[in-house]
Amino acid sequence: MTAEPLRATGPGADLRHIRSWIFDLDDTLYPPESQFMRLIQGRINDYVVRTSGLPADEALVVQKGYLKDYGTSLAGLMAHHRIDPHDFLAEVHDVPLDVLTPDPGLRAALERLDGPRIVFTNGSTAHARRVIERLELVDLFDGLFSLEDADLIPKPDPRTFARMTERFGIAPASAAFFEDTVRNLEPAHAIGMTTVLVGARAVGTDTPFVDHRAASLAPFLATARLPGDA
């Protein structure tokens, strides 16, 4: 499949029908250029090496296969090895937060949004809270749905979307979901959510389940047409 560069939606994306705002966490609420996820990836790779007994290069191939096939490395490890998932989450997320910095522009853009704002992550509860606190956005979010809340069943599993929307009483047709991983947008679109792919990654040409594309979250939100706008 031929890939095309990601195009940011032009100013004024029409989100006037949106009443609930759902955000992925990692590489969505902060820029991937921070390389924060690389720190976590390193911890995951070390864990797979230790658990599988494979050399680092082979363990990396296995870990990427787990991510592709199961949605998270953890789900793959649980399917193939006896591990404590809570120990795994605590270990791989125990990384310094120094590379993350609050973004006043993102804060101002989030403040424009009328309605509940939810963080929906495949990370742990503790990890999400640390990151949101570091970004100084705690007061702007009304809820958090983590991997533990999903009984360790990660996005893009439709059951996890159903559980999340039920938890917060979200009507999908009036909800927007912002996410940097393309495949996680497909089940959201299937239940009627407006989907926004965030980040500068290339995507395939056949992505009918992506409604909007935003190279960066803050400018997209800052220029979007929101409820109450003419």
Side-chain angles (χ1 to χ4, degrees):
M1 181 180 294
T2 302
E4 63 178 1
L6 188 66
R7 297 187 300 272
T9 300
D14 192 350
L15 302 179
R16 290 176 294 176
H17 64 294
I18 301 300
R19 299 295 181 270
S20 300
W21 309 87
I22 305 163
F23 297 88
D24 176 50
L25 178 71
D26 291 307
D27 284 352
T28 298
L29 288 180
Y30 59 82
E33 293 78 14
S34 70
Q35 299 294 310
F36 179 63
M37 279 302 295
R38 179 171 290 188
L39 300 176
I40 295 174
Q41 183 63 55
R43 290 290 184 100
I44 294 173
N45 291 347
D46 290 344
Y47 193 99
V48 175
V49 167
R50 189 172 71 249
T51 301
S52 67
L54 294 171
D57 56 345
E58 294 181 26
L60 179 59
V61 173
V62 168
Q63 183 266 324
K64 288 184 175 180
Y66 289 165
L67 187 61
K68 177 182 177 181
D69 295 340
Y70 294 94
T72 62
S73 302
L74 172 59
L77 284 165
M78 291 174 62
H80 295 277
H81 301 275
R82 287 188 174 184
I83 68 164
D84 184 324
H86 302 289
D87 285 348
F88 170 88
L89 291 171
E91 179 174 329
V92 303
H93 289 139
D94 185 20
V95 295
L97 302 174
D98 306 27
V99 297
L100 298 179
T101 56
D103 179 358
L106 177 59
R107 181 176 180 85
L110 290 171
E111 287 176 338
R112 295 187 68 220
L113 308 180
D114 186 19
R117 310 176 193 97
I118 307 297
V119 171
F120 181 24
T121 178
N122 277 346
S124 69
T125 300
H127 169 68
R129 287 175 176 167
R130 287 182 74 222
V131 170
I132 297 168
E133 288 175 1
R134 174 68 178 178
L135 298 175
E136 298 181 0
L137 298 175
V138 173
D139 59 308
L140 295 184
F141 285 101
D142 303 286
L144 164 64
F145 195 90
S146 70
L147 192 58
E148 292 100 329
D149 296 313
D151 284 344
L152 305 180
I153 301 172
K155 297 177 287 185
D157 194 299
R159 292 172 294 175
T160 294
F161 282 81
R163 180 171 292 189
M164 185 274 296
T165 54
E166 182 179 3
R167 165 78 64 85
F168 298 109
I170 290 171
S174 60
F177 180 41
F178 300 81
E179 165 76 63
D180 72 298
T181 301
V182 178
R183 65 178 178 177
N184 290 345
L185 294 173
E186 187 168 12
H189 189 273
I191 60 175
M193 289 183 180
T194 296
T195 56
V196 184
L197 180 63
V198 179
R201 297 178 180 178
V203 297
T205 56
D206 184 17
T207 50
F209 50 85
V210 175
D211 296 313
H212 301 285
R213 298 173 180 179
S216 182
L217 183 58
F220 177 87
L221 291 175
T223 58
R225 299 170 69 190
L226 303 180
D229 291 347

